[in-house]
């Protein structure tokens, strides 16, 4: 326990430096700004803003990125409540009751409770990350290449099972991601692989190019298809503070949502995504009068929003301790860390405690900032929501172009991104989700490295993966999950969770 | 292409069929690209091992999807827009070509040179081209917006963040 506090103290001393405070603030502001835009979720926001962080030192960059993430998530909720457009999957639930509240003139209360609930959840999750970080890192020290490989297999299995839509398509996307990761020079021999002999590809497909294309540009193209039908709440937002009755209804859902979200967030795969859905279902089941749900029940905002934020934060745990990104957002973080020259994994905590604990502490500061800067600024966000998409998309495009260009000062990057944007659009049209692709891409190189090492150690004997107990256990969990997922009855339930 | 009708008849899930065939094609292509790489042995893997295994996995997934498309009901093909994707892509490429100039090699020797317009030229140009992507574009409004955005981006990226973006090499030389 004493360790925890001294570590957190170190973290706060890093995060509270003027420079890092400014970066955290900038991240939260810009993240909210972009995240508020309808149809632009956290993944797209981070992908677009990634280039902004490259010129900053690693600690500052990660603090800023984390700020962008919470900001985007928060902005997404604002859009969900005021415009009835979920910026991303996790705020789908918020639109149900949040927008109903807004229509009844309680938009302010919905925004307020979502901010307060998120803040509470953020505080809890920050402590959880700090508390679980050290022990999990110790576990990771027992991991050899075989265990890492199995862990990543398990993570990818989670990602497919918990992904939305067709499992087989998610599997396909992961494999395509793995395939893309093999492009470029071979790690050991330096042989060019799948590059068409094109020197631009000899370093492999650039992470930012892929992410910005598949999530940024593809998203813009997709949004252009839908004719603009925005249901921005007219009239006043009302008081931002929920009244006493609303507070009384909300505090238990906030507590439950925080707990559910925190636990599900740690799961690899899209655990954080399940939190809000689970929370909403539970609140509806526990309510004395479930018929209020869907008609503006504040519990239906308070619970899922807390779960959402808690999960967003605890999903950093697998990334920071094991170096395994549990979802697409964390995959973007891995990309950012790698570009900064940091190899994610258990060694981060011991080798650069400043970075690790500084980032953890900045999570709490970021949440506080969101509360302080966003509530008074709601009016501004509402104005921003009224900017028509016909002006918004050229602005997004030009930001992305400048960002892409300035990463390497290479115009070819910009053009490659256009290609991946088009490819991403076509993938969506074929019913593929791009998130597993990014996950596969990020894990691909690590998996290959560990697989090859494991095979060298075991002299080419594949049974090493089941003979080593830790590795066997991880693979067993993966197999168990797959068998659960393919049993049709559970599969059906899973669809229900997502359509409800 | 019909919209939202469940595939009736022979192909029960047209979208899955397209997805499956795409994966198979991608797998074959990657397999062909990697066919000259040495796979090595499990004991000491060569550069060709992983590309080969992963292409096979992609292909198998594709086959499963394709077979499923004939057995299980699924979504019809989505309508694929033409205007949006085309002009967004062109706008980005125009930006890439003109931000600091670009030489496009022509098949018959020689090359085509795009001028180095820098942020002051490539910015508004890309914005105006992207205007073709939406039927809702109002050109006068977009023109003013393009100028405003360019000023804002120059101030933010060039002056505040100090990114090495060329201002306008064709006019100023930097």
């Amino acid at each position: 326990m004493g360790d925890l506090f001294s570590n957190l103290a170190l973290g706060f001393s890093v995060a509270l430096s003027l420079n890092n405070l400014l970066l955290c603030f900038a991240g939260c502001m810009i993240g909210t700004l972009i995240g508020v835009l309808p149809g632009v979720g956290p993944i797209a926001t981070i992908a677009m803003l990634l280039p902004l962080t490259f010129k900053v030192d690693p600690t500052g960059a990660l603090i800023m990125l984390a700020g962008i993430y919470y900001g985007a998530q928060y902005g997404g909720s604002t859009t969900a409540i005021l415009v009835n457009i979920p910026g991303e999957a996790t705020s789908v639930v918020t639109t149900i009751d949040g927008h109903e509240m807004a229509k009844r003139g309680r938009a302010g209360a919905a925004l307020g409770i979502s901010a307060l609930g998120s803040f509470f959840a953020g505080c809890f999750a920050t402590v959880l990350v700090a508390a679980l970080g050290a022990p999990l890192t110790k576990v990771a020290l027992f991991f050899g290449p075989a265990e890492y490989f199995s862990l990543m297999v398990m993570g990818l299995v989670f990602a497919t099972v918990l992904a939305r839509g067709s499992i087989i398509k998610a599997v396909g996307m992961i494999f395509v991601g793995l395939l893309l990761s093999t492009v470029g020079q071979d790690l050991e021999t330096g042989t060019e692989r799948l590059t068409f002999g094109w020197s631009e590809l000899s370093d492999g497909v650039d992470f930012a190019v892929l992410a910005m294309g598949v999530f940024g540009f593809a998203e813009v193209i997709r949004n252009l298809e839908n004719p603009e039908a925005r249901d921005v709440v007219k009239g006043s937002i009302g008081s931002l503070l929920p009244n006493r009755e609303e507070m009384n209804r909300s505090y238990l859902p906030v507590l439950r949502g925080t707990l559910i979200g925190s636990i599900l967030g740690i799961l690899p795969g899209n655990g954080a995504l399940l939190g809000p859905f689970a929370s909403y279902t539970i609140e509806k089941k526990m309510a004395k009068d479930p018929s209020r749900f869907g008609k503006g029940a504040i519990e239906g905002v308070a619970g899922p929003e807390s779960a959402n934020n808690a999960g967003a934060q605890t999903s950093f745990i697998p990334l920071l301790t094991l170096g395994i990104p549990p979802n697409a957002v964390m995959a973007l973080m891995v990309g950012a860390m790698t570009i900064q020259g940091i190899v994610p994994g258990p060694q981060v905590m011991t080798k650069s405690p400043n970075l690790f604990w500084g980032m953890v502490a900045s999570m709490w500061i970021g949440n506080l900032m969101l509360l302080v800067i966003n509530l008074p600024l709601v009016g501004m966000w509402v104005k921003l929501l009224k900017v028509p998409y016909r002006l918004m998309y050229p602005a997004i495009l030009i930001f992305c172009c400048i960002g892409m260009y300035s990463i390497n000062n290479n115009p070819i990057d910009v053009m490659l991104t256009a290609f991946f944007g088009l490819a991403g659009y076509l993938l969506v049209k074929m019913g593929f989700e791009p998130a597993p692709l990014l996950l596969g891409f990020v894990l691909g190189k690590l998996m290959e490295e560990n697989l090859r090492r494991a095979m060298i150690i075991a002299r080419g004997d594949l049974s090493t993966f089941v003979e080593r107990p830790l590795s066997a256990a991880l693979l067993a969990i993966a197999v168990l999950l797959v068998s659960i997922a393919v049993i049709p009855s559970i599969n059906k339930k899973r669809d229900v969770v997502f359509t409800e | 292409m019909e919209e939202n009708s469940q595939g009736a008849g022979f192909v029960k899930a047209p979208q899955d069929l397209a997805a499956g065939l795409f994966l198979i094609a991608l797998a074959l292509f990657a397999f062909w690209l990697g066919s000259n790489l040495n796979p090595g042995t499990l004991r000491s893997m060569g550069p060709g091992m992983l590309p080969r295994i992963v292409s096979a996995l992609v292909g198998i997934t594709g086959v499963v999807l394709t077979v499923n498309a004939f057995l299980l009901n699924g979504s019809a093909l989505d309508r694929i827009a033409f205007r949006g994707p085309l002009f967004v892509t062109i706008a980005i490429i125009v930006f890439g070509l003109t931000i600091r100039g670009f030489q496009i090699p022509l098949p018959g020797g020689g090359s085509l040179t795009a001028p180095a317009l820098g942020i002051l030229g490539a910015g508004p140009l890309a914005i105006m081209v992207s205007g073709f992507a939406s039927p809702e574009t109002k050109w006068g409004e977009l023109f003013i917006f393009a100028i405003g955005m360019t000023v804002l981006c120059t101030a933010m990226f060039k002056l505040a963040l100090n990114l090495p973006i060329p201002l306008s090499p064709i006019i100023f030389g930097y």
Side-chain angles (χ1 to χ4, degrees):
Chain A
M1 243 2 213
D3 262 2
L4 177 64
F5 286 114
S6 63
N7 284 332
L8 276 179
L10 169 70
F12 275 103
S13 71
V14 174
L16 284 173
S17 79
L18 185 63
N19 202 11
N20 287 339
L21 270 180
L22 276 176
L23 285 170
C24 186
F25 179 76
C28 287
M29 275 301 279
I30 306 173
T32 317
L33 189 79
I34 307 280
V36 161
L37 306 181
V40 185
I43 304 180
T45 310
I46 299 176
M48 285 172 196
L49 297 177
L50 209 52
L52 282 186
T53 61
F54 290 164
K55 311 279 171 207
V56 189
D57 72 300
T59 310
L62 284 175
I63 286 179
M64 185 169 170
L65 271 175
I68 290 173
Y69 179 32
Y70 314 132
Q73 197 112 25
Y74 187 87
S77 314
T78 309
T79 323
I81 291 170
L82 294 178
V83 204
N84 203 15
I85 299 177
E88 37 112 30
T90 51
S91 46
V92 172
V93 197
T94 312
T95 57
I96 308 174
D97 279 288
H99 191 62
E100 276 314 307
M101 283 182 75
K103 276 192 191 157
R104 296 173 176 214
R106 299 297 299 160
L111 288 168
I113 199 70
S114 116
L116 290 170
S118 297
F119 178 65
F120 174 79
C123 295
F124 179 80
T126 304
V127 177
L128 197 66
V129 174
L132 282 182
L136 268 176
T137 310
K138 286 202 183 85
V139 173
L141 296 178
F142 293 108
F143 277 34
E147 281 78 11
Y148 263 114
F149 181 78
S150 303
L151 179 69
M152 285 184 258
V153 170
M154 189 189 83
L156 289 178
V157 167
F158 264 97
T160 49
V161 174
L162 299 179
R164 287 187 308 159
S166 150
I167 290 190
I168 181 80
K169 282 185 178 168
V171 172
M173 276 298 94
I174 289 200
F175 288 149
V176 173
L178 292 176
L179 190 62
L180 278 175
S181 78
T182 63
V183 174
Q185 276 180 357
D186 176 44
L187 298 164
E188 280 163 33
T189 57
T191 319
E192 300 255 320
R193 307 198 292 190
L194 318 183
T195 58
F196 313 95
W198 198 27
S199 64
E200 288 297 325
L201 284 178
S202 65
D203 282 339
V205 177
D206 193 280
F207 174 79
V209 167
L210 182 70
M212 179 100 80
V214 174
F215 289 108
F217 287 154
E219 196 119 351
V220 169
I221 298 175
R222 214 153 27 123
N223 286 337
L224 274 173
E225 263 178 21
N226 311 324
E228 199 157 6
R230 266 194 252 159
D231 184 13
V232 181
V233 168
K234 294 172 189 84
S236 84
I237 293 178
S239 151
L240 284 171
L241 278 183
N243 59 30
R244 180 169 293 242
E245 193 214 336
E246 286 166 330
M247 277 304 225
N248 280 339
R249 282 182 190 278
S250 299
Y251 74 95
L252 278 175
V254 167
L255 286 176
R256 286 190 286 258
T258 303
L259 212 61
I260 297 166
S262 301
I263 296 168
L264 288 174
I266 303 177
L267 290 185
N270 251 341
L273 190 66
L274 290 175
F277 288 94
S279 164
Y280 191 79
T281 316
I282 287 177
E283 291 313 325
K284 202 171 167 182
K285 286 236 166 77
M286 292 184 81
K288 283 191 196 121
D289 176 18
S291 67
R292 281 174 48 250
F293 279 76
K295 292 177 194 155
I298 195 162
E299 298 97 312
V301 179
E305 276 299 303
S306 315
N308 186 356
N309 205 35
Q313 235 157 310
T314 51
S315 61
F316 273 93
I317 293 176
L319 173 75
L320 289 174
T321 52
L322 305 173
I324 304 293
N327 55 38
V329 173
M330 293 303 130
L332 284 165
M333 292 282 175
V334 171
M337 283 168 106
T338 324
I339 290 167
Q340 292 277 1
I342 305 162
V343 184
Q347 70 285 354
V348 172
M349 190 189 280
T350 40
K351 272 191 196 154
S352 31
N354 278 1
L355 181 130
F356 183 93
W357 294 106
M359 190 166 161
V360 172
S362 86
M363 290 178 180
W364 186 81
I365 298 174
N367 276 293
L368 184 66
M369 280 185 179
L370 279 178
L371 192 66
V372 177
I373 57 182
N374 276 309
L375 289 183
L377 285 180
V378 149
M380 197 176 107
W381 303 141
V382 176
K383 281 210 189 77
L384 194 66
L385 285 174
K386 290 184 178 150
V387 175
Y389 197 67
R390 63 169 191 273
L391 291 181
M392 208 118 83
Y393 83 87
I396 295 174
L397 277 185
I398 206 72
F399 272 138
C400 290
C401 283
I402 296 175
M404 274 324 298
Y405 172 76
S406 49
I407 295 177
N408 295 322
N409 298 321
N410 185 354
I412 292 180
D413 281 353
V414 182
M415 291 182 253
L416 266 177
T417 315
F419 165 77
F420 278 112
L422 208 54
Y425 170 75
L426 291 176
L427 284 179
V428 170
K429 285 288 158 184
M430 286 188 274
F432 289 114
E433 282 273 327
L437 178 121
L438 194 67
L439 211 51
F441 178 73
V442 166
L443 286 180
K445 282 210 169 69
L446 284 169
M447 277 181 98
E448 180 174 11
E449 220 179 295
N450 282 300
L451 176 64
R452 282 169 120 173
R453 258 189 237 148
M455 284 295 92
I456 291 171
I457 295 171
R459 295 164 200 274
D461 185 6
L462 281 172
S463 61
T464 179
F465 291 111
V466 285
E467 274 164 8
R468 299 177 66 113
L470 258 174
S471 161
L474 291 166
L475 287 179
I477 297 174
V479 171
L480 191 73
L481 256 175
V482 172
S483 39
I484 293 174
V486 291
I487 297 171
S489 66
I490 293 178
N491 217 345
K492 235 178 238 160
K493 265 194 196 140
R494 178 172 150 267
D495 288 342
V496 173
V497 171
F498 281 113
T499 47
E500 205 172 311
Chain B
M1 274 178 264
E2 305 162 79
E3 253 183 300
N4 288 333
S5 62
Q6 290 262 312
F10 193 50
V11 179
K12 289 184 172 162
Q15 196 190 47
D16 288 0
L17 181 66
L21 292 178
F22 162 74
L23 289 186
I24 294 174
L26 182 71
L28 290 175
F29 181 58
F31 205 87
W32 171 73
L33 267 183
S35 57
N36 57 348
L37 296 167
N38 171 24
T41 59
L42 272 182
R43 193 162 173 171
S44 85
M45 291 191 195
M49 178 71 92
L50 256 282
R52 233 168 260 208
I53 295 177
V54 180
S55 322
L57 290 172
V58 172
I60 293 169
T61 321
V63 170
V64 173
L65 263 174
T66 311
V67 171
N68 268 350
F70 291 99
L71 301 177
L72 306 169
N73 282 325
S75 332
L77 276 174
D78 231 348
R79 209 174 54 85
I80 292 183
F82 182 69
R83 184 174 179 167
L86 180 73
F87 286 104
V88 165
T89 310
I90 293 182
I92 301 165
I93 290 181
V94 163
F95 182 91
L97 287 176
T98 55
I99 180 73
R100 68 161 200 216
F102 202 81
Q103 295 224 328
I104 312 156
L106 292 176
S111 61
L112 210 67
T113 310
L117 301 178
I119 179 73
L120 294 182
L125 191 62
I127 291 181
M128 292 314 280
V129 172
S130 78
F132 288 103
S134 165
E136 289 166 21
T137 299
K138 295 176 181 162
W139 290 101
E141 177 195 63
L142 188 67
F143 184 70
I144 298 167
F145 185 72
I147 294 173
M149 276 306 291
T150 308
V151 172
L152 182 78
C153 287
T154 313
M156 195 165 112
F157 292 102
K158 181 85 193 164
L159 304 178
L161 289 171
N162 209 12
L163 296 180
I165 304 166
L167 211 50
S168 182
I170 202 167
I171 304 174
F172 305 121
Y174 59 87

